[in-house]
Amino acid sequence: MRVSRQLLGAVIGVTMLALLVYGVLAYWLTQNADLQKRLELLGQIGQEIAQRLADTKGTPAPHTLERLRSQLAPAHSVLLWETGNEALVIAADPQTDEALLTALLSWQQNRQSREATEEGRFDSPGGDYLWVQSPLPGRAEEALLLLEPYGESPSASTLRSRLVVSGIAILWIAVWVALFLSARISRRLEEKNQALRHQALHDELTGLPNRNLLLDRLRQARSAAQRHGLPFALFLMDLNRFKEVNDTLGHHFGDRLLQQVGKRLGASLRENDSIARLGGDEFAMLLPETDRHGASVCAGRIHQVLQHPFDIEGVRIEAGASIGIALYPEHGEDPASLLQHADVAMYQAKRSGGYAFYDPGQDSHSVRRLRLMGELRSAIEQGQLHLHYQPMLDLRRGEPAALEVLSRWRHPDLGSVTPDEFIPMAEQTGTIHALTVWSLQQALREDPAPDLTLSLNLSPQCLQDAALPEAIADLLARFDFPATRLQLEITENAVMHDLQRARQLLNRLHDLGIRLAIDDFGTGFSSLAYLRELPFDELKIDKSFVIDMAEENNLAIVRTIIDLGHNLHYQVVAEGVEEPLGLERLRALGCDRVQGFLFSRPQPADALRDWLREGAWRQTGRAASRGA
Ligand code: G
Ligand code: G
Ligand code: MN
């Protein structure tokens, strides 16, 4: 607004200046035009007089001169008879026209300086005068005519009035042009300003408000909530699979996914709810006048809406989302603490799936989390990690056949940290590659039982790492460890995620001679047709079904999986065998291998060597048979 006013002022100023210049120029022009015209006229009169006086002998009588002057010359003029040095006769009435007399004297005083010219203009104390000297043919004398340029010639006055009219027209046009231009320019400026303001407060990719605007709206929401005594809810959400999408399909797909997520969020919330993108795959939602119940209804709806696969250029992408919720005023009074607490809740949601409200009791968790995430890599380098081994027994032979390798972290201050806690961190921070290499190397170095297979867990994320087969082959060669004694366990749902890539990588590993197992089978949603296309050797039934096989449904599931596995020519392993009764049932169902606390908990290499030497499993097996 201020800028446009300044602009208008400037344009009008320039117009006025132009008009002023025009005025001065016009004035000068009319003055000069007038002067020229008058001099010409005066010259003609002078010549006429000279002609009429040509026949006169001697000095003409004053009344002759007076007659000529009044007949020919305009009023306010003097006609002189000039004889070289003196003006002899004055044809005028000096009594009535004193000014003319003064002018005449002043002309005479200055005559020396205009010797060369015959006409001109001069200033006398009485005013401005024109003069013309007309030689008389055949005589030494000259006639001189002086004229006070009184009044205006008709030509000058028409010229002046034309100039005035055109001046007004120009002013009028200039003002309109100035108004038009300044309106246009100020509109442009306003548009540009608006675009800049929008840019400063919105996310370019999705067009949603950004963090700054969200903070502003949070402050507004807080004052409104304070005035009306109503709560509001802040959601913080991130996508569960965004990194995978970006890594496997490229940033272009990632961007499109974010745009579509933004659209779905918009469609599933109310008009006056705000949705913001805070960066990466993190979104925030502000729901005014919403209590705990309303928040859980909305969070449930959003979670469900994002659960549906996205279709991006013909590729089906399952994103899924975790939502953390902080309520005003219950969980925080100011925007900063609400955001922080929604963030803590989001991590709770990541663990539990779906959405979670901020729980102050869990908050210490997030401090711990941040610390552990920061320290994991150096913990590996400093040897804070070590391995435990848990045997798998072959049910037909009644002997151990393989050892599952499981990582442990003994933190110097925080004590033991479970893999359920640090493996997801390693995946999130990208430390998982280093961790995998470390566990394989450590297992090959310790190799507690040279006649048993070593079964290592492979994180889903490692299936994206095309360099993995070479890294594993190098380690095997370095320790001179036969590939056929190594098995890799991959969680079921991870395999299905990017089948094309997974298939390539698994085939390369399998070609090296490494055995492959599907871990936690029954918890994911694999298509059986896909499973058949992948080079698996073993299927591990998830322990959640095995632990409680007294329950009818679990038993049915275990039986079905064993049949399925056998029909597809997999070796079937049941993990989580805790009870002798369970062991007997598995034996009866024809399960190939068992693993569980009934035989052995995961234990360090030395303890496991002792366990193997003592042959403690024989006791367990027989006890189980008798109990059955
Ligand atoms: O024994 P336990 O509670 O430790 O195992 C918990 C989970 O952690 C299991 O699902 C197991 O697959 C996983 N896990 C343990 N060690 C490793 C490891 O070195 N790498 C990977 N990727 N997962 C592991
Ligand atoms: O997901 P994965 O299969 O890699 O997990 C192996 C995990 O199962 C390890 O954490 C191990 O400690 C655990 N585990 C092994 N046997 C049993 C058992 O009999 N009961 C229970 N509850 N957990 C077991
Ligand atoms: Mn496992």
Side-chain angles (χ1 to χ4, degrees):
M1 203 55 221
R2 264 199 56 189
V3 175
S4 67
R5 211 173 290 163
Q6 279 175 356
L7 193 76
L8 187 64
V11 174
I12 289 180
V14 169
T15 313
M16 293 313 242
L17 192 70
L19 211 67
L20 191 72
V21 171
Y22 173 83
V24 169
L25 221 66
Y27 178 76
W28 184 79
L29 214 71
T30 52
Q31 282 303 84
N32 270 327
D34 201 28
L35 185 72
Q36 220 47 48
K37 272 253 152 56
R38 276 160 196 262
L39 277 173
E40 257 171 50
L41 187 69
L42 211 57
Q44 281 165 14
I45 298 169
Q47 267 164 20
E48 183 70 31
I49 292 172
Q51 234 140 51
R52 296 207 188 172
L53 285 172
D55 304 334
T56 319
K57 297 273 182 311
T59 307
H63 70 268
T64 315
L65 287 174
E66 171 55 29
R67 186 172 38 82
L68 276 175
R69 189 193 66 78
S70 62
Q71 271 176 6
L72 298 170
H76 311 288
S77 60
V78 191
L79 184 60
L80 297 176
W81 185 253
E82 265 264 292
T83 55
N85 296 334
E86 266 178 288
L88 290 181
V89 182
I90 303 164
D93 182 0
Q95 270 87 37
T96 52
D97 216 336
E98 226 172 286
L100 282 177
L101 215 60
T102 322
L104 178 63
L105 285 173
S106 126
W107 183 84
Q108 278 178 320
Q109 275 158 18
N110 291 310
R111 68 188 310 174
Q112 246 63 37
S113 64
R114 19 177 206 268
E115 213 68 58
T117 55
E118 292 185 337
E119 59 178 34
R121 170 191 184 147
F122 77 99
D123 289 326
S124 93
D128 212 10
Y129 280 83
L130 302 176
W131 63 274
V132 59
Q133 224 169 341
S134 308
L136 304 173
R139 305 177 62 139
E141 297 86 358
E142 284 180 313
L144 171 71
L145 197 59
L146 280 187
L147 172 68
E148 187 192 4
Y150 179 80
E152 222 172 15
S153 74
S155 70
S157 80
T158 40
L159 182 62
R160 187 162 296 155
S161 59
R162 272 187 208 158
L163 283 170
V164 167
V165 170
S166 61
I168 290 172
I170 286 177
L171 177 66
W172 193 78
I173 292 170
V175 166
W176 277 108
V177 168
L179 281 173
F180 175 74
L181 280 181
S182 78
R184 251 180 87 102
I185 294 175
S186 66
R187 185 156 9 97
R188 284 265 175 80
L189 278 174
E190 190 55 35
E191 279 168 12
K192 203 160 225 172
N193 260 345
Q194 211 148 11
L196 279 175
R197 249 199 315 267
H198 191 269
Q199 215 171 29
L201 295 176
H202 290 79
D203 163 50
E204 210 177 326
L205 181 68
T206 57
L208 293 173
N210 65 12
R211 186 180 291 271
N212 291 337
L213 188 52
L214 177 78
L215 284 173
D216 195 47
R217 296 206 176 150
L218 268 173
R219 284 188 281 269
Q220 283 173 19
R222 183 182 52 172
S223 6
Q226 276 167 345
R227 258 198 316 280
H228 304 116
L230 290 168
F232 67 84
L234 174 68
F235 290 9
L236 222 57
M237 180 191 96
D238 82 15
L239 303 176
N240 299 337
R241 302 262 166 73
F242 183 68
K243 196 175 150 28
E244 285 170 54
V245 171
N246 248 353
D247 289 350
T248 55
L249 297 169
H251 288 266
H252 171 64
F253 274 82
D255 287 354
R256 297 286 305 276
L257 176 62
L258 292 174
Q259 286 167 341
Q260 289 201 17
V261 167
K263 279 208 195 99
R264 282 199 193 174
L265 289 177
S268 54
L269 289 175
R270 285 177 306 188
E271 193 73 27
N272 62 338
D273 296 335
S274 300
I275 305 164
R277 179 174 169 231
L278 305 185
D281 62 341
E282 203 175 39
F283 292 82
M285 284 143 273
L286 171 63
L287 286 69
E289 298 175 20
T290 303
D291 59 7
R292 184 176 277 267
H293 173 71
S296 58
V297 170
C298 288
R301 188 165 57 223
I302 292 170
H303 183 249
Q304 203 170 13
V305 156
L306 296 182
Q307 208 65 34
H308 284 288
F310 290 84
D311 181 335
I312 295 172
E313 293 170 16
V315 180
R316 254 169 75 101
I317 293 177
E318 283 177 30
S322 308
I323 304 168
I325 307 170
L327 297 171
Y328 171 93
E330 192 183 333
H331 298 149
E333 302 253 340
D334 59 300
S337 70
L338 283 168
L339 272 169
Q340 195 197 334
H341 291 160
D343 195 47
V344 171
M346 189 171 76
Y347 281 107
Q348 290 161 9
K350 271 203 179 307
R351 249 172 292 132
S352 56
Y355 63 90
F357 284 91
Y358 172 63
D359 175 1
Q362 296 269 311
D363 203 358
S364 59
H365 219 90
S366 70
V367 177
R368 173 185 164 93
R369 216 185 106 76
L370 282 176
R371 177 167 177 195
L372 290 178
M373 285 223 279
E375 293 179 4
L376 181 54
R377 191 175 285 273
S378 58
I380 298 173
E381 286 157 8
Q382 289 164 13
Q384 290 175 21
L385 266 66
H386 61 279
L387 295 181
H388 278 189
Y389 300 86
Q390 188 182 30
M392 287 174 231
L393 276 86
D394 184 302
L395 273 186
R396 240 163 312 255
R397 290 192 290 115
E399 297 284 325
L403 299 177
E404 175 164 4
V405 181
L406 296 155
S407 306
R408 297 289 180 262
W409 181 1
R410 207 182 296 118
H411 191 282
D413 303 331
L414 302 172
S416 103
V417 183
T418 68
D420 286 331
E421 190 174 5
F422 71 79
I423 296 291
M425 289 177 189
E427 289 173 340
Q428 208 181 338
T429 55
T431 317
I432 190 67
H433 182 82
L435 181 75
T436 306
V437 168
W438 174 83
S439 6
L440 177 59
Q441 189 174 335
Q442 183 68 5
L444 297 182
R445 186 177 291 138
E446 292 184 342
D447 192 14
D451 48 344
L452 301 185
T453 297
L454 284 182
S455 190
L456 188 83
N457 290 289
L458 194 64
S459 176
Q461 211 169 307
C462 294
L463 291 182
Q464 321 279 343
D465 179 7
L468 186 77
E470 271 71 56
I472 292 179
D474 284 353
L475 276 177
L476 291 176
R478 178 131 62 91
F479 286 88
D480 197 17
F481 192 98
T484 46
R485 266 190 67 209
L486 181 65
Q487 171 169 282
L488 297 173
E489 301 185 11
I490 298 130
T491 305
E492 178 195 16
N493 36 7
V495 177
M496 294 306 109
H497 206 66
D498 181 4
L499 185 75
Q500 208 53 32
R501 230 176 143 106
R503 193 199 342 246
Q504 273 182 17
L505 205 110
L506 292 175
N507 279 329
R508 279 165 63 201
L509 290 168
H510 206 243
D511 290 346
L512 290 172
I514 297 170
R515 274 173 65 91
L516 297 175
I518 312 170
D519 206 358
D520 303 335
F521 190 83
T523 55
F525 301 92
S526 336
S527 147
L528 298 176
Y530 281 167
L531 272 192
R532 193 58 277 200
E533 287 180 40
L534 299 170
F536 286 112
D537 305 286
E538 186 172 291
L539 187 158
K540 294 185 80 173
I541 308 171
D542 190 70
K543 58 181 172 286
S544 58
F545 307 113
V546 178
I547 287 173
D548 185 15
M549 278 193 356
E551 213 266 306
E552 276 304 312
N553 288 333
N554 284 340
L555 182 63
I557 288 171
V558 171
R559 180 190 297 122
T560 310
I561 295 177
I562 292 174
D563 283 350
L564 170 83
H566 284 160
N567 289 336
L568 294 175
H569 310 292
Y570 294 133
Q571 178 156 289
V572 180
V573 182
E575 58 180 358
V577 182
E578 294 184 350
E579 311 281 343
L581 180 65
L583 174 63
E584 256 347 283
R585 292 211 160 133
L586 288 165
R587 209 196 292 276
L589 292 172
C591 186
D592 304 292
R593 287 180 176 182
V594 286
Q595 173 185 357
F597 293 173
L598 178 63
F599 302 98
S600 165
R601 289 181 174 266
Q603 42 188 327
D606 284 342
L608 192 96
R609 286 194 191 97
D610 293 344
W611 182 85
L612 286 169
R613 200 175 315 114
E614 288 160 15
W617 68 90
R618 298 197 182 95
Q619 208 55 38
T620 317
R622 268 197 295 280
S625 299
R626 270 201 303 279

